[in-house]
Amino acid sequence: MLRPPPQMTATPGAPQPISTRYGLTYDIPADWTNDYRSIAGWSNENDKASYGAVGFFGYGYCPEEDGGWLAISGAAGSRDLDLESVAQQEVRSVEWIFDDNAGTLPTVEYTDPVWFEVAGRPAVRVSALVTDIPRISSCEPGSARFDVVATPGYATAETMVLMVEVHQDIDGAYEGGVADAIISTLRPTKRSASRRQRVSWAKHLRQLPKK
């Protein structure tokens, strides 16, 4: 599964499923953009956080910034089997994502890890509320919510990370509960039969006695 799985179809107006290359699928709201083939994230001179299987809302909302979004979701992989360690490391990216590249850091309040299950397998969620974000331009939100879930992957990586970031206290911001809604949809990807399997089944069916 080195390439992203094919885009899954959704009924107009219904949540849109995004399959990741880690064998897990999640849904984004109907009014988000499904950009499942893209890679997006943040970077500076020393740090980088990138995600595939991307969904976003409000892309290009600020003319002062090239790109940018009001909310984004995505998936990444890790070789580390320690779920809590992976989640804690990933969520702390907010400290440099929302700084001003000159040493001024935002205020970050982290939640305690919350353990739950995804199809009977362990998962842990850590959230960060980011406030006092340095004002580089009018594009900066008054605050932001950054949620990370780590759970065992089914393919490609030992651990999959699901990230949801939502701008708050800014015009056009998405409803605050969207991260909860997205995370609640995380599930194993249903696989259709491969061509080889379908051919095998067809041969088997031809061997069945006629009634």
Side-chain angles (χ1 to χ4, degrees):
M1 296 182 68
L2 297 179
R3 296 181 180 179
Q7 184 173 7
M8 302 175 71
T9 57
T11 303
Q16 306 174 71
I18 297 182
S19 293
T20 74
R21 65 178 187 170
Y22 308 106
L24 289 153
T25 293
Y26 72 96
D27 293 347
I28 57 173
D31 54 352
W32 282 38
T33 298
N34 184 335
D35 202 9
Y36 75 104
R37 286 186 176 275
S38 294
I39 296 175
W42 303 266
S43 64
N44 60 23
E45 292 182 358
N46 302 309
D47 303 284
K48 182 178 181 180
S50 60
Y51 304 89
V54 172
F56 59 81
F57 173 80
Y59 181 78
Y61 72 95
C62 184
E64 296 179 36
E65 185 176 305
D66 182 17
W69 46 74
L70 291 170
I72 187 172
S73 62
S78 172
R79 294 181 178 178
D80 193 339
L81 292 170
D82 187 331
L83 300 180
E84 185 173 339
S85 175
V86 171
Q88 294 283 11
Q89 181 177 353
E90 199 76 23
V91 77
R92 276 166 171 72
S93 298
V94 297
E95 296 175 12
W96 60 265
I97 288 173
F98 291 100
D99 72 4
D100 64 354
N101 297 321
T104 305
L105 301 177
T107 298
V108 184
E109 180 181 350
Y110 297 102
T111 66
D112 292 330
V114 176
W115 288 89
F116 62 104
E117 290 186 354
V118 175
R121 306 178 83 183
V124 63
R125 175 179 179 178
V126 182
S127 305
L129 176 62
V130 188
T131 57
D132 302 323
I133 298 172
R135 300 288 292 182
I136 299 175
S137 70
S138 62
C139 303
E140 308 302 332
S143 64
R145 176 79 177 268
F146 196 93
D147 288 89
V148 169
V149 171
T151 191
Y154 287 82
T156 306
E158 284 77 6
T159 297
M160 190 195 99
V161 172
L162 175 64
M163 175 280 304
V164 184
E165 187 273 318
V166 183
H167 285 14
Q168 300 178 149
D169 302 314
I170 189 172
D171 289 345
Y174 209 82
E175 58 189 56
V178 67
D180 294 338
I182 290 173
I183 289 169
S184 70
T185 68
L186 188 60
R187 61 196 184 276
T189 302
K190 291 183 178 180
R191 295 293 173 195
S192 59
S194 68
R195 182 178 181 278
R196 179 175 296 177
Q197 288 174 317
R198 290 195 295 268
V199 170
S200 176
W201 291 341
K203 289 180 179 178
H204 176 71
L205 289 174
R206 285 199 295 269
Q207 294 171 1
L208 292 178
K210 295 181 180 180
K211 293 184 179 180

